[in-house]
Amino acid sequence: MVGEVIYLDNAASMPMCEQARSAMLEVIARGLDAANPSSPHRPGQSVRRLIDESRETAAELLGASPGEILFTSGGTESANLGLIGAARAMRREQGRHGVVVSSIEHHAVLEAAAHLEEEGFAVERAACDGRGVVTPDAVAYALDRLAARGARPAVVAVMLANNEVGTLQPVAQIAEVARRAGALMLTDAVQGPFCEALDVRRLGCQVMALSAHKFGGPKGAGLLYVERGVPFDPILFGGGQERMLRPGTENVAGIAGMAAALSWARESREAIEAHKRALEERLLSRLFREVAGLEVNGAGAPRVPGLVSLYVPGVEAETLLVELDMNGVACSYGAACTAGSLVPSHVLRAMGLPEGRVRSSIRVSIGPFNTPDEINEASERIAGAVRRLREAGDRAAAAGVNKP
């Protein structure tokens, strides 16, 4: 519950866990947010030690070494830096100028790829299937298209878990395809910390992006894993922080909170996964009883527990979301970066779904702090909102038919 609203938009941002909040408050209480960690004096070096400890924590949890963890301002910066930094370096060092991104990537990746295209990179999109899954064969086909254009691949970017329909992608198998082609593998794992134990070596990626507020940490903090030794260029300039790959004074409290949240997410992952899965089953069983024609987009594919895209026939998603908001239920159209303008989902379109289905689909994302009582109440409010809107539509249609 957020205020008086049942909050079911955790894929956009979830409440902070107590561990992250406590870690940040301790930084502030000790005055460690005051000194600059790049300063040589004792206060500055105390802050530097805190950042180093947070880096070591993150590295251990991700199966990396501390020197492979860069701290950023969040998922968008991490994705931009990861793709552009790797692609430019691969072109500079190896003459590779081909990029493959999946058709269902977050806009932080897709728009970064479009920017690279303006710089002269050859960009191909790997298609997904009707369930919202990008297969290794689809990536291999995109790499073949690059080869036909005379472009050797620099980077392949495929997310770990889709943020709109929740489908899990076979990143480890795709990484092997990328490796054989000589390309670096970037995965946006922003939605991943609760769906599996993240391990960069097992996934086979050389670059991985995370955002703290997606797993119980603060907004404005993120990290980027960059495997040591791979070509990589900065996209910001002006300081020596973060191995000179991400200059700028570090967000000390945010970094501490993110490390604490990542530890909590890892320690609690199995319990949280079971909790979210049980609440999703509760929600869907009730909605399927009450809402005729309801379907899950991406059904049949492995999915992140608690993140579900619902097709609600006979109702426009935009109208339904307004009705739900007025009745105290917060969910969304799709990605938070486009939900404010209610732009139809590029993910659902990439899946080949009809336009009417795309415009009648909403995203419900359950979090670790939702309760069974909230889900019971939310299912009643959602079913009631759909019923009212369908009845209003039927009355409007009947009035139109009966006009002379």
Side-chain angles (χ1 to χ4, degrees):
M1 189 82 71
V2 176
E4 297 301 316
V5 176
I6 300 173
Y7 185 74
L8 297 178
D9 197 21
N10 289 272
S13 186
M14 63 170 282
M16 226 188 302
C17 65
E18 184 57 39
Q19 290 82 345
R21 185 179 291 107
S22 296
M24 296 177 73
L25 288 175
E26 183 180 358
V27 169
I28 295 169
R30 292 171 58 192
L32 294 177
D33 59 327
N36 191 313
S38 296
S39 298
H41 47 60
R42 281 179 292 174
Q45 291 310 295
S46 294
V47 180
R48 169 57 53 195
R49 282 194 295 273
L50 176 62
I51 292 176
D52 289 343
E53 290 168 3
S54 297
R55 197 186 312 277
E56 289 168 3
T57 296
E60 181 179 359
L61 293 169
L62 298 175
S65 65
E68 296 174 318
I69 302 297
L70 306 179
F71 291 127
T72 71
S73 65
T76 295
E77 184 189 351
S78 290
N80 274 231
L81 173 58
L83 183 58
I84 296 173
R88 286 177 177 170
M90 289 289 278
R91 180 174 62 180
R92 174 177 53 79
E93 290 196 9
Q94 300 183 18
R96 293 175 175 270
H97 67 283
V99 172
V100 170
V101 297
S102 87
S103 59
I104 60 171
E105 292 301 298
H106 189 278
H107 286 288
V109 171
L110 293 177
E111 293 184 19
H115 180 79
L116 287 172
E117 202 163 19
E118 292 176 357
E119 292 185 4
F121 283 85
V123 177
E124 292 286 346
R125 291 193 181 190
C128 69
D129 62 21
R131 303 174 305 157
V133 175
V134 180
T135 66
D137 285 345
V139 173
Y141 183 52
L143 289 167
D144 288 342
R145 295 198 302 273
L146 281 181
R149 297 169 61 181
R152 291 194 301 155
V155 184
V156 171
V158 178
M159 65 195 343
L160 180 59
N162 184 261
N163 57 302
E164 295 197 25
V165 296
T167 48
L168 291 167
Q169 309 304 318
V171 168
Q173 294 94 319
I174 291 170
E176 180 59 24
V177 173
R179 187 193 64 78
R180 291 198 300 265
L184 300 180
M185 179 72 196
L186 160 67
T187 189
D188 166 3
V190 164
Q191 297 292 341
F194 294 125
C195 66
E196 59 179 86
L198 294 181
D199 187 300
V200 293
R201 311 300 181 194
R202 182 182 58 78
L203 289 172
C205 58
Q206 287 73 53
V207 188
M208 184 173 74
L210 286 174
S211 183
H213 72 106
K214 306 290 189 174
F215 53 85
K219 298 177 182 67
L223 67 80
L224 184 70
Y225 159 76
V226 180
E227 183 179 307
R228 186 172 291 280
V230 304
F232 202 83
D233 287 350
I235 62 174
L236 298 175
F237 304 93
Q241 297 90 347
E242 304 300 302
R243 291 165 44 200
M244 299 186 71
L245 295 177
R246 198 281 182 179
T249 302
E250 296 90 342
N251 173 6
V252 182
I255 288 170
M258 177 170 57
L262 192 58
S263 295
W264 168 75
R266 172 58 65 87
E267 293 167 2
S268 309
R269 184 185 65 81
E270 291 183 359
I272 291 171
E273 180 180 16
H275 174 75
K276 291 166 65 177
R277 196 177 301 281
L279 293 188
E280 179 187 324
E281 291 173 357
R282 177 183 290 257
L283 177 73
L284 291 180
S285 65
R286 290 168 176 264
L287 289 180
F288 280 130
R289 287 199 304 268
E290 299 294 330
V291 180
L294 188 75
E295 295 182 34
V296 173
N297 297 316
R303 289 191 301 107
V304 178
L307 198 169
V308 58
S309 175
L310 295 173
Y311 166 50
V312 189
V315 175
E316 285 284 325
E318 180 176 356
T319 308
L320 177 57
L321 290 173
V322 172
E323 180 77 8
L324 290 175
D325 187 46
M326 292 174 61
N327 285 275
V329 178
C331 45
S332 65
Y333 204 5
C337 59
T338 57
S341 57
L342 291 172
V343 176
S345 167
H346 72 283
V347 174
L348 299 182
R349 284 174 166 167
M351 291 165 61
L353 300 182
E355 190 66 18
R357 182 165 180 144
V358 172
R359 293 184 175 275
S360 292
S361 294
I362 65 171
R363 181 184 71 177
V364 177
S365 49
I366 297 165
F369 305 118
N370 288 121
T371 67
D373 286 344
E374 285 182 319
I375 297 303
N376 293 344
E377 182 62 28
S379 62
E380 290 183 12
R381 295 184 191 183
I382 294 171
V386 173
R387 186 164 51 251
R388 289 190 296 274
L389 292 175
R390 284 177 172 175
E391 289 172 354
D394 291 342
R395 288 194 299 271
V401 169
N402 294 330
K403 284 183 179 180

